[in-house]
Amino acid sequence: GIQVEQSPPDLILQEGANSTLRCNFSDSVNNLQWFHQNPWGQLINLFYIPSGTKQNGRLSATTVATERYSLLYISSSQTTDSGVYFCAVRNKLVFGAGTILRVKS
Amino acid sequence: DTEVTQTPKHLVMGMTNKKSLKCEQHMGHRAMYWYKQKAKKPPELMFVYSYEKLSINESVPSRFSPECPNSSLLNLHLHALQPEDSALYLCASSQDAGELFFGSGTQLSVL
């Protein structure tokens, strides 16, 4: 089956710092989503991004489907950004292992 | 409205109990999903319903029994569970193979 790898596995940031999370996948995909799972377990949709670049406030994402990777950019991080970030390859219904982000004030 | 509603939010059950998890969406989505998530792990797919028919069963034990009474509702019937079945159970929906929307989950503890 398709493999989805996320990096880094863990990340600690000082509030206000920027970061880039990466998602690599082993096969062609029809679409890809980024989620933020908050400490209460809720999976929040960040981006539905099969290809190209999207931006939403301090967050942006880029997927290069031909090279089989996607990037999530977080700028000016806040403590509320803490949690686990997952990418999921939708047409294969597979999640990556996630990146645990902790933002310190 | 992009809401998927799951009830109950928390459930504690014994190994001989029968209980049900419920999920509801009113987005007109025709695909609904059950995922299981253990602590510090990603969600894992259990079942997919498409147009109210079971389309994917990821070799889930028969003590988990899904049901899709109509296009807005999805149930997961639980019977004779084991302590290792304790987990967060997440429901999701999508319009065909489009963007997936999750509910807030049911935290299940099996004693």
Side-chain angles (χ1 to χ4, degrees), chain A residues 84-105:
Chain A
V84 186
Y85 289 80
F86 289 107
C87 68
V89 175
R90 273 285 291 117
N91 60 319
K92 306 293 188 191
L93 298 172
V94 174
F95 278 71
T99 293
I100 301 172
L101 174 65
R102 188 155 64 103
V103 181
K104 301 169 65 176
S105 59

Side-chain angles (χ1 to χ4, degrees), chain A residues 3-86:
Chain A
Q3 304 298 314
V4 182
E5 295 182 352
Q6 290 187 242
S7 60
D10 299 276
L11 185 59
I12 300 175
L13 297 176
Q14 198 64 39
E15 196 169 29
N18 303 329
S19 64
T20 301
L21 281 56
R22 187 177 180 101
C23 174
N24 293 334
F25 38 96
S26 62
D27 200 356
S28 59
V29 298
N30 291 339
N31 51 43
L32 183 145
Q33 278 186 258
W34 284 96
F35 296 93
H36 174 214
Q37 189 165 39
N38 64 24
W40 297 272
Q42 176 73 52
L43 277 164
I44 300 163
N45 288 29
L46 297 178
F47 295 101
Y48 173 69
I49 186 165
S51 63
T53 297
K54 292 186 177 180
Q55 180 153 10
N56 184 3
R58 296 181 295 104
L59 303 182
S60 64
T62 295
T63 296
V64 184
T66 53
E67 296 187 22
R68 300 182 183 171
Y69 73 89
S70 183
L71 302 174
L72 177 69
Y73 305 95
I74 304 174
S75 65
S76 303
S77 59
Q78 301 175 358
T79 56
T80 52
D81 295 331
S82 297
V84 186
Y85 289 80
F86 289 107

